[in-house]
Structure formats: C-alpha cells, structure tokens
Amino acid sequence: MALPTPAPDAARRAADDIELTVALAEYTKILEMRRAVSDQAHNRYNFFLVIATAVAAVSAGLLGSNIDDNVKVGAVATLGTLVLLMGPAVFARQLRYTGASQRYGLAEQTLRTYLLRRAPDLVRFVLLPTLDDAGLFPPPASPRRRRLRDAVGLAATIGLVNSALFAMGGGLLAAAARLPGWAVIALALALFAAAAAGHFWWIGRTARTNAAENRKLLAARALANPSIPDIPDQLAPDQAP
C-alpha cells in the first residue's frame, strides 16, 4: 500500500490557518445578516407605501361617494388613524434597521482591515474603505453634506410620507371645522414642515448616537486609526439601509 505523500509546508500552513478560517466564516455570516436586514428594511418600506397608498385611494373614493356623511367621516377617520399610528412605528423600525446595517457594515469593514493587514501587497488594489484609510467613500466633510446624506435614506422618505399624511389629516380636520381655505392650506403646510423637521431631527440624532457607539467600540478594541477621523461615518445611514 502506498503511503500518502506529505503535504508541502506552505500548503500545510494554509490548511492549519485557523485565524483565516474563522475570519472568513465570520465575514460570510456578517454579509448574510446584513443582506437579511436590508431585505427586511426594504420590505417594510414597500409594505408601508402600499398601505398608505391604498388608504389614500379608499379615502378619496369614500369622500366622493354618496354614502351617509357620518359613515363616510367615520370610515375615513378610522383609516387615517390607522396609517398615522403605523407611520411612526415603521419609521422607528426603519431607524433600527439602519443602525443594524451600520453595525454590520462596520464589522465587515473591520474584518476586511484584518484580511488586508495579512496581505499588505493587496492594499493598493482595494478601493473600498478599511479602518486604515478613507477609501472610495470618504465621510462627508461638512454637517450640511451629512444632513443631505441623511435626507435621501429610506427613513427620511418614510418621514416625509408621515409628514404629508399628518398634514393631510390636519387639513381635513380644519376643513371639517369649516375654516377658510387659506387657513386650511396654511395649517397643512405648517403641520408638514413641523413633522418633517421632527423626523429629520430624529434621524440626525440617531445617526450621531450610532456613530458615537461605533467609535467607542473601535476605541475599546484598540482598532481606531487616529489619522482617519470618523471612520463609522463612512457608512451611509441606509447602507445596505
């Protein structure tokens, strides 16, 4: 019986590289979890838009029908209350998805940093950011650009839809109270502006809190690179989010 040929030293080392095996397994798991969070966020967003659109269509149909006014107002008020209650819940859930996506993104970035430190000759070929450089997506340079970045995420879109629904509800109540047309329009615009400002403030506060927690974690693990400011801010609010 022929004896097995011993493996070369290099191949044996590769086969016994426990650190690399664990890192790659963890990296794969993080990608799967991040993809699942992204799918959940988009599904929740699409579900909310479908519900809001359906309620708006049904309400418009009821208002234009010959149904008794009391029944009509009661049905529209019930549907409107349902959407107004659902909107903030979906918005808050979307912010949780965004935070989870940012944390998975940071974990992915950290493992990529480890892999590139093992193979420094490949660093110049990798354009996505690591903890050692700003990469292809540097963080926004000014608070204004950060606010613009926050304004294009799924959470901001849900916030705008919530604000429009809130303004519409206030306008309908004002119209039911037989206020002048200009007063109804002014009230609706004021409610929309106030609700949108509140949603954007909440988004900005959550983004700052998440970034601070990420920086704290990097500092605790001694992974932060002091020459690269605000590493976690490279992860857009809905990056996927």
Side-chain angles (χ1 to χ4, degrees), residues 68-83:
D68 181 79
D69 287 344
N70 292 329
V71 176
K72 185 188 305 182
V73 171
V76 172
T78 300
L79 292 174
T81 301
L82 172 65
V83 175

Side-chain angles (χ1 to χ4, degrees), residues 137-152 237:
F137 304 110
S142 65
R144 176 177 173 273
R145 292 187 61 186
R146 290 176 181 172
R147 286 193 293 270
L148 289 176
R149 181 195 65 183
D150 295 342
V152 299

Side-chain angles (χ1 to χ4, degrees), residues 26 107 110 117 131 214-224:
E26 180 70 7
T110 303
R117 287 176 181 176
L131 297 182
N214 290 340
R215 283 193 292 268
K216 183 179 178 181
L217 176 59
L218 288 177
R221 297 290 181 90
L223 294 171

Side-chain angles (χ1 to χ4, degrees), residues 123-134:
V123 170
R124 64 192 181 97
F125 297 103
V126 177
L127 300 182
L128 294 179
T130 68
L131 297 182
D132 293 332
D133 66 352

Side-chain angles (χ1 to χ4, degrees), residues 2-233:
L3 295 177
T5 302
D9 291 343
R12 186 183 299 279
R13 286 198 302 270
D16 295 337
D17 195 342
I18 302 301
E19 292 84 358
L20 181 60
T21 301
V22 173
L24 292 177
E26 180 70 7
Y27 188 77
T28 302
K29 182 63 175 178
I30 289 172
L31 290 179
E32 293 175 354
M33 296 173 71
R34 193 177 183 190
R35 188 178 299 112
V37 167
S38 177
D39 291 342
Q40 290 174 359
H42 283 86
N43 290 339
R44 184 66 62 92
Y45 170 76
N46 292 333
F47 172 75
F48 175 65
L49 287 185
V50 168
I51 293 297
T53 303
V55 167
V58 171
S59 298
L62 288 173
L63 292 175
S65 66
N66 295 324
I67 302 176
D68 181 79
D69 287 344
N70 292 329
V71 176
K72 185 188 305 182
V73 171
V76 172
T78 300
L79 292 174
T81 301
L82 172 65
V83 175
L84 289 177
L85 291 176
M86 180 186 296
V90 174
F91 176 76
R93 189 63 178 174
Q94 182 61 51
L95 288 181
R96 291 180 63 87
Y97 287 142
T98 298
S101 179
Q102 288 178 335
R103 286 188 287 273
Y104 291 141
L106 181 59
E108 175 189 338
Q109 191 179 37
T110 303
L111 282 175
R112 290 178 60 254
T113 302
Y114 166 75
L115 295 174
L116 286 178
R117 287 176 181 176
R118 288 176 57 103
D121 292 340
L122 297 178
V123 170
R124 64 192 181 97
F125 297 103
V126 177
L127 300 182
L128 294 179
T130 68
L131 297 182
D132 293 332
D133 66 352
L136 189 62
F137 304 110
S142 65
R144 176 177 173 273
R145 292 187 61 186
R146 290 176 181 172
R147 286 193 293 270
L148 289 176
R149 181 195 65 183
D150 295 342
V152 299
L154 291 181
T157 304
I158 293 174
L160 290 176
V161 174
N162 284 343
S163 302
L165 293 172
F166 188 62
M168 183 178 67
L172 289 176
L173 290 177
R178 302 189 182 281
L179 294 180
W182 65 267
V184 173
I185 295 175
L187 176 62
L189 291 176
L191 289 175
F192 177 82
H199 281 88
F200 283 120
W201 172 83
W202 196 350
I203 291 172
R205 177 180 177 274
T206 303
R208 291 190 298 271
T209 300
N210 291 338
E213 291 177 350
N214 290 340
R215 283 193 292 268
K216 183 179 178 181
L217 176 59
L218 288 177
R221 297 290 181 90
L223 294 171
N225 188 336
S227 64
I228 306 297
D230 295 337
I231 286 291
D233 287 344

